[in-house]
Amino acid sequence: MEVLATWLDEAADQPLGSTMTLATAGPAGPRARTVVVTGIDSAAVRFHSSAPTGKTVDLAADPRASAVFHWPGLGRQAVLTGLLAELPRAVSAEAYPTRPRQLQLVAWVYEDLLPRLSGPDYAIEPGAVEAHFAAHTAGAQEVPPSWTTLALTPTQIDFWRAGTADTPPARTRFVGSERGWRSFPVLP
């Protein structure tokens, strides 16, 4: 996880440097989406969502997940495979005030609109997001009840580096266990 944290720090100036594509599988089948990573520690990568959304519905059906960080400007990517879990409410309440105001307001849009959605498409009326977003712009807001923190705890991480015209790409795999992480090169 130290290598991943270092790569995230080095990608801070890259466009969308703190985003990852999260892949899950649940009742509706496999799906992927991009999420903003809000924290990393020695065990997991954290991000926020509302519940229920595709991420939390999939998590309830199958906690296995994979994620990809892709930094084309650095010629790097990291692929994580592991287990997804919802963290305690206190973690979300502590993190909410630190999130950008736009993301706080979007969380309230989800709070307003999620109970009205149904069916496989989750269609909303045109302009609904904008109207609910505008309705929450005045005044401070508490953390929405549906806002949650998710953590992906990887059991495997592949770090890939691009090659040059004269050198091959390289990939190093880290595999976690109760005894810690072991690493070894694999085919790129």
Side-chain angles (χ1 to χ4, degrees):
M1 293 297 285
E2 290 176 25
V3 174
L4 183 60
T6 298
W7 279 26
L8 272 170
D9 286 344
E10 293 172 357
D13 294 335
Q14 297 293 306
L16 304 174
S18 64
T19 61
M20 69 179 185
T21 301
L22 175 73
T24 57
R31 45 184 160 189
R33 79 289 280 156
T34 302
V35 298
V36 177
V37 172
T38 56
I40 183 170
D41 59 29
S42 62
V45 175
R46 292 181 309 283
F47 58 94
H48 303 283
S49 182
S50 293
T53 58
K55 293 178 280 299
T56 58
V57 169
D58 289 355
L59 164 62
D62 185 346
R64 295 176 298 168
S66 186
V68 178
F69 288 96
H70 184 219
W71 303 288
L74 298 175
R76 293 178 179 175
Q77 74 175 2
V79 180
L80 291 70
T81 304
L83 297 176
L84 192 59
E86 191 168 353
L87 297 182
R89 179 86 181 135
V91 173
S92 298
E94 184 178 317
Y96 184 77
T98 70
R99 305 312 313 136
R101 184 71 174 143
Q102 178 208 29
L103 296 179
Q104 291 177 350
L105 295 174
V106 168
W108 276 102
V109 169
Y110 271 79
E111 183 71 23
D112 292 348
L113 295 178
L114 275 174
R116 302 175 189 183
L117 302 180
S118 64
D121 297 329
Y122 295 112
I124 58 171
E125 293 293 322
V129 170
E130 294 82 357
H132 286 270
F133 188 92
H136 288 287
T137 57
Q141 296 286 337
E142 302 272 332
V143 59
S146 65
W147 199 71
T148 189
T149 304
L150 299 174
L152 175 59
T153 302
T155 55
Q156 178 177 301
I157 306 174
D158 284 0
F159 293 96
W160 179 88
R161 290 180 188 253
T164 66
D166 300 319
T167 62
R171 183 166 54 141
T172 302
R173 176 166 293 160
F174 284 71
V175 177
S177 70
E178 302 84 37
R179 296 182 306 251
W181 291 90
R182 62 185 179 90
S183 65
F184 48 90
V186 294
L187 285 171

